[in-house]
Amino acid sequence: MLIRSLILSCITLLAASNVLASASHQADGHAHKSAIGQPGDAKKVSRTIHVSMNDNMRFSPSQIEVQRGETIKFVVKNEGKLPHEMVLGTDKELKAHYEVMKKHPHMEHADENMASVAPGQTGTIVWQFTKSGKVSFACLHPGHYDAGMKGQIQVKTK
């Protein structure tokens, strides 16, 4: 029974890794464009957007507008006493990743589309938005997403 549980956990983690890979890198380490864009070049940052996170399970701002083609540096400040994170993705990617996080709350991960930030600390994400449309972001710590800790980025065509 324990082995079966471990195998199912590994399969779940592998599925989540595949979902997140669409927003991160290919196995060879070369960035690729996804539905939400691609990791940005810090030397080509168009502008910086400051985002705060708090224990009321909210981002401020929770609605952001960017232009297609912009490379944004998000400076993410955790103003709470709990750990928080900002993860960029499609709604489908974020929901799948959240389900894995609920089953494995202490899973550590670091991808270029996210910033995990300890209480009182600041993290950064540099992201290039290559397609018009909606990009979502959320905190995927268990309970935070369900409490409404999410937001949207509207990527507009110039």
Side-chain angles (χ1 to χ4, degrees):
M1 189 69 168
L2 177 62
I3 292 175
R4 183 174 186 209
S5 177
L6 287 171
I7 290 170
L8 288 174
S9 294
C10 289
I11 290 169
T12 304
L13 284 171
L14 182 59
S17 296
N18 288 337
V19 167
L20 290 174
S22 69
S24 185
H25 284 287
Q26 294 176 355
D28 63 5
H30 292 93
H32 69 289
K33 293 180 184 177
S34 77
I36 66 163
Q38 64 188 15
D41 180 345
K43 296 175 188 169
K44 297 181 180 178
V45 168
S46 306
R47 63 188 165 118
T48 299
I49 297 175
H50 293 267
V51 178
S52 65
M53 304 180 288
N54 61 51
D55 294 345
N56 291 330
M57 305 303 157
R58 296 293 180 260
F59 288 97
S60 181
S62 61
Q63 301 292 315
I64 299 170
E65 287 187 11
V66 302
Q67 296 295 315
R68 186 173 56 89
E70 270 193 295
T71 298
I72 302 295
K73 178 180 181 180
F74 293 97
V75 177
V76 187
K77 172 80 173 168
N78 183 347
E79 296 178 350
K81 295 183 192 279
L82 300 170
H84 293 293
E85 63 186 6
M86 179 177 177
V87 183
L88 303 175
T90 65
D91 286 336
K92 182 179 178 182
E93 290 168 341
L94 294 175
K95 286 176 186 172
H97 186 176
Y98 182 61
E99 290 304 315
V100 173
M101 291 294 291
K102 286 195 304 189
K103 293 176 184 166
H104 307 280
H106 301 293
M107 179 176 74
E108 291 190 24
H109 51 280
D111 293 305
E112 290 180 292
N113 66 318
M114 67 178 297
S116 290
V117 187
Q121 300 299 307
T122 301
T124 60
I125 302 169
V126 177
W127 199 258
Q128 183 183 25
F129 294 89
T130 58
K131 297 181 182 179
S132 298
K134 180 183 84 164
V135 174
S136 296
F137 60 92
C139 179
L140 303 179
H141 286 280
H144 298 203
Y145 183 84
D146 288 334
M149 195 164 185
K150 41 189 140 178
Q152 289 187 342
I153 301 166
Q154 186 63 44
V155 184
K156 298 189 170 212
T157 302
K158 294 181 183 181

